[in-house]
Amino acid sequence: MNTELTKNVTVGSLVADDFDRAEVFENLGIDYCCHGNDTLEEACAKKGLNPDDVMARLDNKKSEGGAPDFASWPLDLLVDYVLKKHHRSFHQHHEELLQLVQKVDSVHGSHHPELHDVRKAVEESFIELDSHFAKEEQILFPQFYELFQAREEGREPSPFHCGSVAFPIRQMMLEHDATGDIWNRIAELTENFTTPSDGCASYRMMNRKLYTFFKDLKEHVTLENQLIFPGFIKLEQESNNN
């Protein structure tokens, strides 16, 4: 993508171009995920930051090259990655994390009543994500693969019962926003996943796992919102124009 680093570029596109930049935004508290359409200038204004200082930090970060160059990946590989890393991890581990949250709430909730709200928020999010992932796996992603394969084979893609992929994509992005709101609330309730002085090992483990889950969720949403979804909308448009 090679997005130019300016104040008027959206923070989501900056991360999509170089995922190493996500760490800078994480440290500064800038939401590059569900508010990824904010320009860098707008995002900095929300946090009272100097955009020039932030751009300098982003420019220094690009030389590290630790994150995969997702922007250069073919679309079908990006979908593979989301399925095998994010969806599979959720299906395998979310119940274990939920049980940990419920355990910490039962032990520490009397002294830290905010844990009741954390538990309810995690439960709500996991129900919604289970449905969200099912729709992607059963409806949207199969059509993505069909569009990609049809282009590779030089043929017309099979008709999609939703009409255009843009319709379910719009719904998925709305659900991303709703999920992001829930997890931002969880971050607030836990003071950015900080364990209080009287917290036990399970409490600390819960916050570590919640933080990791939220960070992975941001990668998942950014990949879809910034690369996968616009990529397949463009691919479908090109197929319709041929």
Side-chain angles (χ1 to χ4, degrees):
M1 293 175 64
N2 295 320
T3 303
E4 185 180 0
L5 182 55
T6 71
K7 301 175 187 178
N8 297 321
V9 176
T10 64
V11 291
S13 64
L14 287 171
V15 172
D17 191 54
D18 183 352
F19 269 75
D20 281 322
R21 291 168 172 162
E23 184 177 348
V24 173
F25 288 145
E26 287 279 347
N27 292 336
L28 296 173
I30 290 176
D31 184 358
Y32 58 89
C33 176
C34 297
H35 290 90
N37 288 329
D38 287 347
T39 66
L40 181 61
E41 187 168 36
E42 291 169 340
C44 288
K46 288 180 178 180
K47 293 294 179 180
L49 300 169
N50 185 322
D52 293 321
D53 292 342
V54 175
M55 284 195 296
R57 293 181 65 167
L58 291 169
D59 196 49
N60 290 333
K61 191 68 179 175
K62 71 181 181 181
S63 62
E64 296 187 9
D69 183 13
F70 290 119
S72 70
W73 289 18
L75 288 171
D76 65 332
L77 183 57
L78 287 171
V79 177
D80 288 347
Y81 178 85
V82 165
L83 280 170
K84 291 181 171 61
K85 182 178 187 238
H86 297 290
H87 286 223
R88 179 184 291 173
S89 178
F90 174 79
H91 294 317
Q92 290 179 342
H93 303 298
H94 80 279
E95 188 62 35
E96 176 185 343
L97 177 53
L98 178 57
Q99 290 174 3
L100 178 60
V101 172
Q102 292 168 336
K103 173 185 174 182
V104 172
D105 179 34
S106 68
V107 174
H108 294 276
S110 59
H111 293 95
H112 298 280
E114 70 277 2
L115 287 170
H116 302 327
D117 292 329
V118 171
R119 173 183 54 78
K120 291 175 184 176
V122 171
E123 289 172 346
E124 177 187 355
S125 174
F126 284 176
I127 290 171
E128 293 182 359
L129 281 172
D130 191 53
S131 172
H132 177 86
F133 287 157
K135 284 180 279 191
E136 289 188 335
E137 293 163 9
Q138 298 169 20
I139 299 171
L140 189 56
F141 286 1
Q143 184 61 18
F144 283 173
Y145 284 123
E146 168 61 17
L147 284 168
F148 189 88
Q149 192 64 29
R151 187 190 67 176
E152 293 297 292
E153 297 173 357
R155 59 174 174 81
E156 289 288 322
S158 300
F160 185 37
H161 68 276
C162 294
S164 168
V165 294
F167 300 127
I169 282 175
R170 188 176 302 117
Q171 179 61 32
M172 294 300 98
M173 293 183 72
L174 289 172
E175 293 179 9
H176 285 169
D177 290 346
T179 298
D181 288 342
I182 292 173
W183 280 88
N184 281 323
R185 176 63 176 153
I186 293 170
E188 291 174 3
L189 289 166
T190 59
E191 296 186 5
N192 205 26
F193 310 103
T194 301
T195 303
S197 58
D198 61 341
C200 64
S202 292
Y203 205 142
R204 291 193 296 273
M205 181 184 297
M206 179 197 75
N207 276 323
R208 285 199 304 271
K209 288 182 177 292
L210 288 175
Y211 171 77
T212 299
F213 185 91
F214 191 18
K215 190 174 181 181
D216 286 347
L217 183 66
K218 290 182 204 178
E219 181 184 84
H220 161 237
V221 170
T222 302
L223 284 171
E224 291 190 346
N225 284 4
Q226 301 295 331
L227 294 175
I228 295 174
F229 290 166
F232 276 103
I233 288 174
K234 181 181 178 182
L235 182 55
E236 183 184 63
Q237 291 171 342
E238 291 172 349
S239 299
N240 292 336
N241 292 332
N242 290 338

